[in-house]
């Protein structure tokens, strides 16, 4: 099928409209976010970017790769749709493996997709796409790896390494998404309580969605030019949101274990707060801190003099830097000298989990396409 074919766009539009309209999906904010990303205006924007004359001259043609195998992650249960839709849009046939621990939200989503694909006008899409689950111990992934032209491998380092051990066709592309973590940089000087209250709501959205398990959820709050009084006000608002949740015993135990590990082995850190929201102030970011991070509303606090200090310090595994309180000039001056292996995206606080077709340094739509050159 041609990239951005009318039938594909109509299917995605129907999926978006139903997610945003039907009451059954309202309790699941991740499905509302997905429906918003799938809306027609966003797909139109992606189409314009994909075919932009700056990127594709009249002698270059964009075509589908063929078959794509998607290995979806378990920490962000709707990610399989973003991966699938990107490939579907550029015309590929797809096999999507979803994790076996299907949540209520994903069950509703799969039922909706199945219902839409049963409509006669979407028959050709149904015939070229399969969403299924199978155990990692089976040979299904290995068998399919020998049949496809690309593999979208989500799930972190271990999954990437395991899938890459499976032989592929010589021309198969692996688009791999390894372990990453993210930070928020905040400048609170001169901000009113109302502004910090609004910041807390946006920050809480980035932290709490998917229980902080997504790579783009901030695990470190980095403060620059932020008086202690305003930091404490921010924490009080975050704590109020955390206290509204049911804090189960396993979460408390996971926080306790992480805190004790850090405090026992790195004495220059101290506990800043605890409870349903744990905050540990650190004076450096040891690689163990990322490995020990238990998610579920657990934060590191780190202070820097200015932004250049932060970007010189960020390790390679940093994916998203969400920001608040800085001007565009401040951000560009700080980032430009350090663009390289770390930091894939900078976005305002509150937008950390909004999916983009530019992810982990990939232009995903182009990675899933063949670019054919014609010279005469």
């Amino acid at each position: 099928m041609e990239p951005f074919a009318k039938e594909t766009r109509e299917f995605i539009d129907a999926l978006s409209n139903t997610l945003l309209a039907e009451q059954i999906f309202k309790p699941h904010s991740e499905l509302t976010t997905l429906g918003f990303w799938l809306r027609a205006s966003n797909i139109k924007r992606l189409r314009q970017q994909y075919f932009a004359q700056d990127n594709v001259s009249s002698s270059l043609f964009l075509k589908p790769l063929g078959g794509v195998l998607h290995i979806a992650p378990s920490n962000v249960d709707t990610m399989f749709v973003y991966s699938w839709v990107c490939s579907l849009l550029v015309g590929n046939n797809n096999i999507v493996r979803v994790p076996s621990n299907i949540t209520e939200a994903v069950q509703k989503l799969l039922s909706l997709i199945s219902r839409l694909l049963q409509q006669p006008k979407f028959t050709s899409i149904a015939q070229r796409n399969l969403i299924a689950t199978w155990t990692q111990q089976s040979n299904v992934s290995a068998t399919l790896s020998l049949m496809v032209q690309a593999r979208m491998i989500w799930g972190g380092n271990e999954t990437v390494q395991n899938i890459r051990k499976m032989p592929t066709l010589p021309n198969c592309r692996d688009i791999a998404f390894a372990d990453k973590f993210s930070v928020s940089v905040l400048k609170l000087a001169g901000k009113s309580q109302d502004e910090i209250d609004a910041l807390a709501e946006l920050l809480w959205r980035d932290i709490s969605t998917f229980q902080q398990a997504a790579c783009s959820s901030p695990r470190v709050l980095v403060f620059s030019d932020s008086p202690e009084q305003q930091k404490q006000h921010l924490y009080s608002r975050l704590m109020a949101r955390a206290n509204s949740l049911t804090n189960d015993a396993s979460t408390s135990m996971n926080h306790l274990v992480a805190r004790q590990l850090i405090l026992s082995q790195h004495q220059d850190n101290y506990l800043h707060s605890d409870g349903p929201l744990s905050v540990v102030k650190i004076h450096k970011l040891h690689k163990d801190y990322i490995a020990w991070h238990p998610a579920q509303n657990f934060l590191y606090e780190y202070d820097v003099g200015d932004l250049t200090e932060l970007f010189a310090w960020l390790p390679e595994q940093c994916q998203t830097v969400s920001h608040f309180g800085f001007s565009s000039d401040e951000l560009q001056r700080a980032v430009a000298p350090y663009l390289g292996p770390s930091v894939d995206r900078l976005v305002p606080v509150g937008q950390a989990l909004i999916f983009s077709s530019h992810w982990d340094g990939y232009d995903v739509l182009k990675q899933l396409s063949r670019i054919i050159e014609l010279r005469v």
Side-chain angles (χ1 to χ4, degrees):
M1 187 172 283
E2 289 298 307
F4 289 86
K6 181 181 178 183
E7 182 179 348
T8 303
R9 287 182 280 126
E10 288 179 346
F11 169 75
I12 294 171
D13 194 39
L15 182 58
S16 172
N17 290 338
T18 310
L19 285 172
L20 295 176
E22 292 192 359
Q23 289 299 318
I24 189 175
F25 303 113
K26 299 297 184 187
H28 308 286
S29 60
E30 65 270 39
L31 299 186
T32 302
T33 301
L34 173 62
F36 190 73
W37 189 80
L38 294 171
R39 71 197 190 283
S41 60
N42 189 48
I43 300 303
K44 180 181 179 181
R45 182 185 61 80
L46 293 177
R47 183 170 182 261
Q48 290 171 339
Q49 289 180 353
Y50 185 76
F51 290 114
Q53 291 302 310
D54 288 344
N55 297 324
V56 183
S57 72
S58 58
S59 61
L60 298 178
F61 298 88
L62 290 164
K63 296 293 180 182
L65 284 176
V68 178
L69 173 63
H70 304 255
I71 305 295
S74 59
N75 59 333
V76 181
D77 56 6
T78 54
M79 182 56 79
F80 78 93
V81 179
Y82 294 100
S83 183
W84 174 47
V85 165
C86 284
S87 185
L88 187 65
L89 278 171
V90 298
N92 291 308
N93 305 329
N94 300 280
I95 302 171
V96 184
R97 180 192 179 275
V98 294
S100 57
N101 54 335
I102 294 175
T103 62
E104 180 185 357
V106 171
Q107 186 61 58
K108 292 178 181 177
L109 180 58
L110 289 172
S111 296
L112 170 60
I113 292 171
S114 176
R115 180 173 21 129
L116 292 175
L117 290 177
Q118 290 176 28
Q119 296 181 18
K121 62 181 178 180
F122 299 133
T123 296
S124 68
I125 295 176
Q127 291 172 338
R128 299 185 298 105
N129 293 273
L130 173 67
I131 300 174
T133 188
W134 56 85
T135 66
Q136 294 181 350
Q137 291 73 32
S138 73
N139 63 355
V140 175
S141 296
T143 301
L144 293 173
S145 291
L146 290 167
M147 301 170 63
V148 296
Q149 284 69 46
R151 301 186 297 189
M152 292 279 281
I153 311 171
W154 304 83
N157 294 355
E158 184 177 354
T159 300
V160 170
Q161 290 168 354
N162 287 337
I163 295 295
R164 277 182 165 166
K165 292 176 183 175
M166 301 173 185
T168 65
L169 295 171
N171 63 345
C172 181
R173 297 179 188 178
D174 278 346
I175 305 163
F177 302 89
D179 288 335
K180 297 271 186 171
F181 77 98
S182 296
V183 307
S184 286
V185 290
L186 310 172
K187 180 180 177 182
L188 304 184
K191 300 300 181 186
S192 67
Q193 289 199 350
D194 287 345
E195 289 174 312
I196 295 177
D197 288 350
L199 165 65
E201 290 300 309
L202 296 171
L203 191 56
W204 181 248
R205 182 191 305 169
D206 288 346
I207 294 169
S208 62
T209 304
F210 303 116
Q211 298 183 312
Q212 209 184 5
C215 293
S216 52
S217 285
R219 297 184 178 187
V220 187
L221 299 187
V222 182
F223 291 96
S224 174
D225 193 11
S226 295
E228 192 63 27
Q229 182 180 0
Q230 285 159 303
K231 287 164 62 174
Q232 291 307 317
H233 183 72
L234 175 64
Y235 283 134
S236 72
R237 304 313 302 163
L238 292 175
M239 189 67 75
R241 295 303 306 265
N243 281 329
S244 68
L245 302 176
T246 301
N247 195 30
D248 60 55
S250 64
T251 299
S252 299
M253 182 58 67
N254 291 338
H255 281 207
L256 176 62
V257 170
R259 292 198 303 264
Q260 292 302 318
L261 275 170
I262 295 163
L263 296 174
S264 64
Q265 299 193 25
H266 300 275
Q267 292 297 325
D268 61 340
N269 307 293
Y270 66 87
L271 187 64
H272 190 71
S273 179
D274 63 5
L277 175 73
S278 289
V279 183
V280 176
K281 189 175 180 68
I282 60 176
H283 297 290
K284 63 179 179 180
L285 185 60
H286 194 282
K287 64 179 181 181
D288 288 342
Y289 298 170
I290 301 303
W292 294 337
H293 192 281
Q296 299 172 310
N297 312 326
F298 191 99
L299 293 167
Y300 299 119
E301 177 189 317
Y302 183 71
D303 292 305
V304 295
D306 59 39
L307 281 180
T308 56
E309 182 183 342
L310 166 67
F311 287 103
W313 161 82
L314 284 175
E316 184 175 336
Q317 295 80 12
C318 183
Q319 184 211 55
T320 298
V321 175
S322 51
H323 56 83
F324 172 84
F326 299 93
S327 68
S328 176
D329 286 344
E330 284 179 300
L331 289 169
Q332 291 187 23
R333 280 199 305 270
V335 172
Y338 300 102
L339 288 178
S342 70
V343 185
D344 298 314
R345 54 200 289 262
L346 287 93
V347 298
V349 169
Q351 298 183 22
L353 279 86
I354 296 177
F355 182 75
S356 166
S357 61
H358 296 128
W359 200 258
D360 276 16
Y362 294 113
D363 182 335
V364 176
L365 297 178
K366 293 291 176 60
Q367 287 288 323
L368 290 167
S369 304
R370 293 176 62 229
I371 301 177
I372 301 168
E373 183 181 29
L374 173 62
R375 291 188 182 185
V376 295

